[in-house]
Amino acid sequence: MKLFSSSKVLTYDWDIVTQANWNKYPNPESAHVVSVDILDRSVDPVTGVLTTERLLCVKQAAPSILRAIGLPIPELAWFREVSTLDPRSRVYTADSVNLTMRELMIVKERVVYQAIGDLKRKVEDLFDLSVADKQQQQQPATSSSWFSWGSSSDATKDTVAAPAAESSQVSDTASKIWRPSSPTNSISQDTSSSTNGFTEFIQTAEFHAQIGISSIRSLMEDAAATRFKANAAKGLVGLESVIRRILGEIESQKQQQPV
């Protein structure tokens, strides 16, 4: 079995991120996604939790190791996704599994978007600051604070990045603050109340090869994990492009409203 894990802090509010998630396809970075169909959707009348079942169809080139041993690989692959969106705790969780080629490989994926109301508190938790340290940081600063995204003076700009996470159970782990790749094309986050928060993005996956001896299974799982990692990176870029589009629409609507 091969494991993959990635975690990033997105500098967008949870409402915007989850809205972008529902409108993620199509986008130029995810051209391999052919279709997304909603099979079932319901809302719990007590908790308000939205549960959605979707069927995704993708074009996925087979890893070279599978082609080398002459296994029949279909052009299209199907995945079943079941997600829950909790508006109270502001957590979205989606679990998906492949329906195609399960006799060769079983791939299980989980994606989580959870709201972070206070990024400074999140960073403090990551660094495990002591109570004394926190009390000291709460004192008024004379020039620049311990944590800030920046100031009007270049001499006092400070940034903080969370340390990379480490785990003996994962093969690829990242934990860092993530910003848009093209800041000049993004709408300033202080122009809308819907962009005041932050969202933690967590993605994990398991790869279980079903055939061959141990060494062959390991090669198959490594190849699948490498392909998955590349697609995951493209998926995050695609999500960013949808977020920017939504923010642009919000800003355009604001400008069209009468003063």
Side-chain angles (χ1 to χ4, degrees):
M1 180 178 68
K2 187 78 171 182
L3 300 178
F4 167 89
S5 178
S6 179
S7 176
K8 300 179 186 297
V9 174
L10 309 179
T11 58
Y12 298 104
D13 186 79
W14 181 81
D15 292 335
I16 293 294
V17 174
T18 52
Q19 181 180 352
N21 177 72
W22 294 124
N23 296 277
K24 184 176 178 180
Y25 306 111
N27 71 75
E29 299 296 333
S30 302
H32 64 291
V33 179
V34 177
S35 63
V36 179
D37 296 296
I38 296 178
L39 303 180
D40 187 51
R41 173 168 280 176
S42 62
V43 177
D44 189 301
V46 177
T47 64
V49 172
L50 171 68
T51 300
T52 305
E53 181 181 4
R54 301 196 298 180
L55 183 66
L56 292 83
C57 179
V58 303
K59 288 183 178 180
Q60 191 164 337
S64 57
I65 180 64
L66 298 182
R67 295 196 302 269
I69 59 181
L71 295 176
I73 307 299
E75 181 182 358
L76 299 178
W78 299 86
F79 293 82
R80 176 178 180 261
E81 175 196 87
V82 177
S83 65
T84 58
L85 185 149
D86 190 335
R88 296 180 180 176
S89 62
R90 292 165 63 83
V91 176
Y92 168 89
T93 303
D95 293 301
S96 62
V97 64
N98 63 307
L99 302 178
T100 308
M101 298 185 295
R102 290 179 61 85
E103 68 279 7
L104 303 179
M105 176 85 66
I106 294 178
V107 180
K108 300 178 181 180
E109 178 189 7
R110 168 167 287 191
V111 171
V112 177
Y113 298 110
Q114 56 186 22
I116 303 175
D118 186 343
L119 185 57
K120 179 177 179 179
R121 184 176 67 250
K122 176 65 177 178
V123 174
E124 288 175 344
D125 292 341
L126 290 172
F127 280 98
D128 192 24
L129 294 181
S130 65
V131 175
D133 290 335
K134 292 182 180 181
Q135 290 176 346
Q136 182 178 359
Q137 300 303 338
Q138 291 173 356
Q139 296 177 357
T142 56
S143 58
S144 61
S145 63
W146 169 82
F147 178 85
S148 67
W149 290 106
S151 66
S152 58
S153 172
D154 293 339
T156 59
K157 289 184 179 179
D158 299 321
T159 58
V160 175
E166 297 180 357
S167 171
S168 59
Q169 297 181 344
V170 298
S171 59
D172 185 2
T173 304
S175 179
K176 62 184 180 180
I177 295 176
W178 177 84
R179 297 178 178 81
S181 58
S182 302
T184 56
N185 295 330
S186 301
I187 294 177
S188 176
Q189 294 191 13
D190 59 6
T191 63
S192 171
S193 59
S194 62
T195 59
N196 290 335
F198 300 88
T199 304
E200 184 173 19
F201 166 74
I202 303 171
Q203 185 177 29
T204 59
E206 300 177 4
F207 306 88
H208 305 263
Q210 303 296 300
I211 63 171
I213 60 176
S214 177
S215 59
I216 296 297
R217 291 200 302 270
S218 180
L219 288 174
M220 291 172 59
E221 291 166 353
D222 287 343
T226 299
R227 182 68 55 82
F228 182 92
K229 180 180 178 181
N231 286 337
K234 292 180 179 179
L236 195 54
V237 174
L239 180 68
E240 172 194 350
S241 68
V242 177
I243 290 174
R244 290 203 304 269
R245 187 189 73 206
I246 292 174
L247 291 176
E249 293 172 354
I250 293 174
E251 184 68 11
S252 177
Q253 292 175 1
K254 288 176 59 178
Q255 292 177 355
Q256 292 175 6
Q257 294 177 354
V259 179

